[in-house]
Amino acid sequence: MNKLCITYNDISTYRSELMGWAIVWIMMLHFTFTQITPLGFVAQYGFAGVDIFMLVSGFGLFFSLDKNPRLGEYYRRRLLRIFPTYYIIGIFASVIVFHDSILALLFRHSTIGFWTGGPYWEWYIPSIVAFYLIAPLLKTLIDKGTAIAIALLAIIVLGLSYWIVANEMVGAKDPHFFMLYRFPAFLFGMICAYWMKNKASMKPYYILLLIGIPCFILLFPHHHEIYNYKYLSLLFLLPVFTYSFILISKYVPMMNTVISQIGKASLEIYLFQNIFFNLIIDGRLTISPQWHDSLTLLLIILSSLLGILSHVLIEKGRKRLFA
């Protein structure tokens, strides 16, 4: 087999590495590099790391449901993976960032606030929880071979996203829009899992990869005109980015052990780096220009270490309480 070829099995094999590279890329975006020009260029597109998370999540949920289709058990596992972590680390966010009351803390980290206009922390967890809820329905449709219906659904969502952006119907950083246009990435992950299960050819993947490149080229030059074009355009390169990170993991494996550990703790790392990110946005954590890149690297390392440590501790507690 050509060394430049990948398979759907590689998404499963390098699942932790994909999540690891994705969260590192997101942290590079949030903390930024200003002095090391190549890293600064790469960092500004780190929001595409979220698309990789969505793909990997959809891929994993498909096989989770395939292995155990009982809905009660499925939702139990998903809730136990997200909410204990979200509330435990959320306590630090509520105390350090938001100065919440107990009621506001509960409201914020239940994700209810995201949907009701109340207090919320960030957009990713409420969005992925919503995708968890509809994943069984999506899997049923995919398993029935309704490929045309699924393709139409993805096209409709992408078309709707483009229309919303083109008409500037949402604010530049509207969190609900972020959720809308990430849905096709989640759906793509589930479809890749279906193709893997049925030993399908990689041809559809490479077709989408090739289609995505001109779509990106058409949208991206306009991202200075309308802010959200930048976010929407990178979605079309998701097959390219996934392909690239798998190749790095396969043929430059020296970082795999570290990146895999970061990937396994990516949820916890994401939440800790979000605390630092909020403090930077609020101006309570300032970074001197001359030390900017050094402190950026320090924050990435610190967030990773805190995330890995908390992941180990929370997993031990979860197994003792809910095994």
Side-chain angles (χ1 to χ4, degrees):
M1 183 181 292
N2 190 319
K3 286 190 71 174
L4 293 179
C5 290
I6 67 169
T7 68
Y8 299 117
N9 294 68
D10 289 326
I11 299 176
S12 177
T13 301
Y14 297 104
R15 181 174 181 270
S16 295
E17 285 83 356
L18 283 171
M19 292 191 294
W21 287 116
I23 190 60
V24 168
W25 201 5
I26 290 167
M27 288 191 285
M28 289 173 65
L29 168 71
H30 284 170
F31 301 140
T32 72
F33 285 89
T34 60
Q35 294 159 317
I36 306 174
T37 304
L39 287 180
F41 176 79
V42 172
Q44 67 180 310
Y45 304 116
F47 47 81
V50 180
D51 297 332
I52 296 173
F53 270 133
M54 291 296 183
L55 180 147
V56 172
S57 293
F59 190 92
L61 290 184
F62 183 95
F63 282 112
S64 177
L65 284 163
D66 210 54
K67 183 178 179 180
N68 186 348
R70 290 180 298 168
L71 290 184
E73 182 61 22
Y74 162 78
Y75 287 123
R76 175 182 175 273
R77 291 197 307 270
R78 300 279 69 79
L79 293 175
L80 288 178
R81 174 65 186 106
I82 290 287
F83 283 103
T85 300
Y86 201 38
Y87 271 103
I88 290 169
I89 300 177
I91 292 172
F92 293 97
S94 287
V95 171
I96 297 171
V97 179
F98 304 112
H99 309 298
D100 283 334
S101 66
I102 296 296
L103 182 61
L105 183 153
L106 295 172
F107 197 75
R108 186 186 303 279
H109 301 297
S110 67
T111 74
I112 293 173
F114 181 80
W115 305 108
T116 62
Y120 71 93
W121 182 4
E122 44 73 53
W123 70 272
Y124 175 76
I125 300 299
S127 300
I128 201 67
V129 168
F131 293 163
Y132 284 172
L133 290 173
I134 63 172
L137 173 61
L138 294 174
K139 184 179 183 301
T140 299
L141 292 173
I142 293 169
D143 276 337
K144 287 183 177 179
T146 51
I148 294 177
I150 291 293
L152 284 174
L153 179 60
I155 292 169
I156 288 169
V157 171
L158 284 173
L160 179 62
S161 300
Y162 175 81
W163 183 71
I164 288 172
V165 171
N167 290 281
E168 300 185 77
M169 296 176 65
V170 296
K173 296 185 180 181
D174 183 276
H176 301 89
F177 174 74
F178 286 175
M179 180 195 70
L180 174 67
Y181 86 86
R182 258 53 184 254
F183 173 72
F186 181 82
L187 185 59
F188 181 53
M190 297 196 80
I191 292 172
C192 284
Y194 174 80
W195 286 336
M196 175 180 165
K197 176 185 173 182
N198 290 279
K199 297 179 172 57
S201 162
M202 286 297 295
K203 185 176 179 179
Y205 183 97
Y206 287 119
I207 289 173
L208 289 173
L209 184 152
L210 292 174
I211 291 174
I213 293 172
C215 290
F216 165 77
I217 292 171
L218 286 171
L219 279 175
F220 189 76
H222 301 286
H223 81 265
H224 292 297
E225 301 166 19
I226 300 179
Y227 182 82
N228 277 310
Y229 271 138
K230 181 165 66 174
Y231 292 89
L232 184 59
S233 63
L234 263 290
L235 173 65
F236 290 97
L237 292 186
L238 175 59
V240 177
F241 293 139
T242 305
Y243 170 85
S244 300
F245 283 125
I246 287 175
L247 282 188
I248 291 171
S249 300
K250 287 180 77 170
Y251 301 118
V252 190
M254 62 190 70
M255 289 290 291
N256 282 5
T257 300
V258 173
I259 291 296
S260 176
Q261 289 302 311
I262 290 173
K264 290 173 183 175
S266 56
L267 172 60
E268 292 82 0
I269 293 170
Y270 172 77
L271 296 175
F272 273 113
Q273 65 87 36
N274 223 297
I275 292 175
F276 293 123
F277 181 51
N278 274 274
L279 292 175
I280 291 171
I281 291 174
D282 293 345
R284 283 180 280 169
L285 179 60
T286 57
I287 301 178
S288 170
Q290 69 185 86
W291 296 104
H292 191 284
D293 286 6
S294 298
L295 290 175
T296 288
L297 183 59
L298 178 62
L299 286 172
I300 289 174
I301 293 172
L302 181 59
S303 298
S304 299
L305 291 175
L306 288 172
I308 291 170
L309 177 61
S310 62
H311 174 74
V312 171
L313 295 175
I314 292 171
E315 279 299 302
K316 285 183 178 179
R318 187 167 20 231
K319 287 176 181 178
R320 286 185 179 180
L321 293 173
F322 302 108

